[in-house]
Amino acid sequence: MTHINTATRSDPRSNQLLAALPQDVWERWQPYLEPVDLVLGQVLSEAGRISAYVYFPTSAIVSLLYMTEDGGSSEVAVVGNDGIVGISMVLGGNAMPNQAVVKSAGTGYRLRAGAVTSEVQRSGIVLQMLLGYAHALMGQMAQTAACNRYHSIEQLLCRRLLLALDRVPSTALVMTQELLANLLGVRREGVTAAALKLQRAGVIRYQRGRIDVLDRARLTQRTRDCIGTAVAA
């Protein structure tokens, strides 16, 4: 178990799925939930491989990445305190379809995948909860694909910032332009130009790998038809 400073450890029920568990399920899981530090760049699972654990982020944000044959990657969805990393493992999948990588450091909890699978087989309520989350995650993936095809870099950047804001208790995001370019699958110069435009408009403030969102309403407005995903995800 990764060491966590007890002064900064998040309540496991900061994760929305854990908070929504029926009391009897919570009591069964609580003794086995392991607090973990989720470090920037940490790979939680590899595509095509079986993972022993599922993760419930509380303050970290994890990217689900589609990996190409030549080693490239593109972000297809994000998971934060709204969900679980490894849902395919507990809903009958034989392996993870995407690589899961921490893109915003923070805390979370992990639980053996077998314990969740057993609960799914035992409890229809837990199965319904996880299926509902899986449905929302697939919706996020579909919207990401559409946005990547049809929208400008500025719109993609605004949407990605909103997805992060929905999953952290702050308006400050630790993100470099290089990281954002990799996540969006675009050139760094494009992200630089889009971020500068937003900064000049007073929507964000960017310096030294930190983005402060100054006007969320205007950030949301600039996403236009991307807004549905950022709000619903």
Side-chain angles (χ1 to χ4, degrees):
M1 179 173 64
T2 304
H3 175 72
I4 293 284
N5 187 324
T6 56
T8 60
R9 181 183 299 173
S10 299
D11 183 337
R13 288 192 148 178
S14 296
N15 179 280
Q16 296 172 29
L17 284 182
L18 292 179
L21 288 175
Q23 185 61 29
D24 60 329
V25 179
W26 168 250
E27 291 175 357
R28 283 195 290 274
W29 283 11
Q30 187 178 17
Y32 303 103
L33 285 167
E34 301 179 37
V36 287
D37 277 321
L38 299 178
V39 181
L40 180 64
Q42 181 180 354
V43 177
L44 301 184
S45 61
E46 293 282 5
R49 296 185 182 179
I50 297 174
S51 177
Y53 293 92
V54 296
Y55 293 82
F56 299 90
T58 50
S59 63
I61 298 178
V62 179
S63 290
L64 303 185
L65 303 175
Y66 173 77
M67 308 300 296
T68 63
E69 292 184 0
D70 61 1
S73 65
S74 179
E75 183 180 71
V76 296
V78 298
V79 181
N81 62 6
D82 59 321
I84 177 176
V85 177
I87 191 167
S88 62
M89 296 296 302
V90 299
L91 291 180
N94 293 323
M96 293 290 293
N98 306 107
Q99 185 184 60
V101 183
V102 178
K103 294 299 183 180
S104 181
T107 57
Y109 287 78
R110 73 178 188 180
L111 184 66
R112 287 200 170 273
V116 184
T117 301
S118 297
E119 199 62 56
V120 166
Q121 296 170 349
R122 176 204 297 254
S123 171
I125 295 176
V126 173
L127 176 59
Q128 289 176 10
M129 284 176 51
L130 294 180
L131 286 175
Y133 176 70
H135 179 76
L137 194 63
M138 287 188 292
Q140 186 189 149
M141 291 178 177
Q143 187 68 33
T144 296
C147 288
N148 288 346
R149 175 67 175 84
Y150 294 108
H151 297 132
S152 68
I153 294 177
E154 182 183 344
Q155 286 177 299
L156 296 178
L157 174 59
C158 290
R159 175 178 178 268
R160 184 57 178 80
L161 295 179
L162 286 169
L163 286 170
L165 284 178
D166 285 344
R167 291 161 175 82
V168 295
S170 171
T171 57
L173 304 171
V174 179
M175 289 182 170
T176 65
Q177 292 183 8
E178 182 177 1
L179 171 62
L180 283 165
N182 289 336
L183 294 177
L184 299 178
V186 300
R187 293 176 61 85
R188 179 176 176 177
E189 292 82 358
V191 171
T192 300
L196 182 58
K197 185 176 179 180
L198 292 173
Q199 181 161 268
R200 286 173 174 169
V203 178
I204 67 170
R205 179 173 58 245
Y206 176 81
Q207 60 179 18
R208 296 184 180 179
R210 170 178 167 140
I211 296 175
D212 291 282
V213 176
L214 306 178
D215 193 333
R216 177 167 180 149
R218 291 171 64 197
L219 186 70
T220 301
Q221 184 180 24
R222 285 169 180 257
T223 63
R224 297 173 187 162
D225 49 343
C226 287
I227 184 175
T229 302
V231 173

